[in-house]
Amino acid sequence: MAEEKTSTPGPSILGIRSLRKSFGELAVLTDISLSVDRGNVVSIIGPSGSGKSTLLRCASFLERADGGDILYDGQYALRDGVYAPKTELNRFRTKFGLVFQNFQLFPHYSVMRNICEAPILHGTDREEARERALTLMRKMGLEGKENAYPYQLSGGQQQRVAIARALAMKPEILYFDEPTSALDPELTGEVLKVIRQLAEEKMTMVVVTHEMPFAKAVSNHVIFMAGGVIVEQGDPLAVFEDPKEERTKQFLRVFER
């Protein structure tokens, strides 16, 4: 993508070229290409079934793409449809964190263990992992919840634990897959406030979202997808206030009502 005037200079942390993914006869992604520069927030919008979540799942290796390239820091994780060796993919996995729409916390783990488990398994000292978890909990407004279990938390609190868990691995880029879709409006605001704060701190993020005002206000770049392709992309003001493609105009009119 062309660099926006609000972009942070520097190499792209994520590059996707001509990515394709089908489920049987259904083509879900067709020739998707994009890049994400460090410190930027890229929002992906579009109707349900447009391939947005599948794109994130391919970028994070939860789904195997059928073709194309995926690069992290200019290095190939996928090249012409062929994946790097498993050891290389494991190294690439340390570069990103994932936040899902339905939280996906471990229900039988406390908040503290949910946040600490992965860093400890990857070799972080237990006390260091705990101190980082406490710092992240304060940042997420979760003080005093370290011994609570997910069922004892509101949806907004659970999602903030999920964000803390993702940040505990010190990722270079965070992926959010519709992080507020399972929340009511009041709790949605809690989570969006956290993501805004991360954006102000120049955390690199790719956010699949239906929250149009949020995408317009926080993003450096907006991508509109429909039917498995990128229909339009660019500066948020350009996409939201002066879209060029009729399909984009149709989609945005729904949110103006």
Side-chain angles (χ1 to χ4, degrees):
M1 79 192 186
E3 186 178 355
E4 306 298 327
K5 59 186 177 183
T6 52
S7 296
T8 300
S12 297
I13 180 173
L14 172 68
I16 291 176
R17 303 170 184 163
S18 303
L19 194 70
R20 303 186 306 280
K21 174 65 181 176
S22 296
F23 294 102
E25 296 297 313
L26 178 63
V28 179
L29 299 176
T30 306
D31 197 22
I32 297 290
S33 296
L34 60 92
S35 66
V36 180
D37 290 342
R38 291 183 182 279
N40 282 3
V41 180
V42 174
S43 289
I44 305 176
I45 62 173
S48 297
S50 59
K52 306 183 301 297
S53 294
T54 300
L55 174 57
L56 283 194
R57 292 178 67 83
C58 286
S60 57
F61 317 135
L62 293 175
E63 296 283 358
R64 290 188 69 86
D66 299 325
D69 303 333
I70 299 173
L71 299 92
Y72 282 95
D73 288 328
Q75 298 181 314
Y76 285 95
L78 174 73
R79 186 170 192 172
D80 295 330
V82 179
Y83 281 89
K86 185 176 180 180
T87 53
E88 284 293 288
L89 288 183
N90 287 338
R91 181 173 63 83
F92 288 128
R93 285 189 176 98
T94 66
K95 292 183 175 293
F96 56 77
L98 291 161
V99 180
F100 301 94
Q101 54 185 302
N102 292 317
F103 324 134
Q104 297 197 7
L105 300 176
F106 295 111
H108 54 296
Y109 287 0
S110 67
V111 168
M112 178 60 73
R113 188 172 177 188
N114 262 286
I115 298 172
C116 287
E117 187 77 358
I120 291 171
L121 287 175
H122 283 80
T124 301
D125 175 77
R126 190 173 295 273
E127 188 56 35
E128 180 184 340
R130 179 179 172 81
E131 285 302 313
R132 177 158 176 77
L134 288 171
T135 298
L136 288 168
M137 288 176 66
R138 286 193 293 272
K139 184 173 184 176
M140 299 293 147
L142 294 166
E143 298 95 330
K145 298 293 185 183
E146 54 265 33
N147 295 319
Y149 286 82
Y151 77 90
Q152 298 173 308
L153 305 176
S154 70
Q157 289 172 327
Q158 289 185 61
Q159 192 61 295
R160 283 181 277 149
V161 173
I163 295 171
R165 180 178 64 179
L167 289 169
M169 290 295 291
K170 301 182 180 179
E172 296 178 42
I173 182 171
L174 269 184
Y175 295 130
F176 290 87
D177 186 7
E178 299 192 19
T180 61
S181 65
L183 304 176
D184 65 36
E186 183 176 358
L187 299 180
T188 290
E190 295 179 7
V191 174
L192 293 181
K193 181 179 178 181
V194 169
I195 300 175
R196 285 174 184 267
Q197 180 184 350
L198 292 172
E200 291 171 0
E201 296 169 1
K202 299 301 182 184
M203 181 74 208
T204 310
M205 295 182 281
V206 179
V207 186
V208 169
T209 184
H210 285 298
E211 300 290 335
M212 298 301 126
F214 166 82
K216 182 178 179 180
V218 175
S219 308
N220 301 93
H221 194 83
V222 172
I223 294 171
F224 171 64
M225 289 182 62
V229 301
I230 293 176
V231 176
E232 188 164 353
Q233 61 178 315
D235 180 90
L237 289 180
V239 172
F240 283 107
E241 296 185 3
D242 188 26
K244 301 297 186 288
E245 301 296 328
E246 183 58 34
R247 185 65 185 89
T248 315
K249 295 174 184 177
Q250 291 174 358
F251 175 76
L252 292 175
R253 274 198 289 269
V254 173
F255 292 93
E256 293 171 356
R257 295 170 185 169

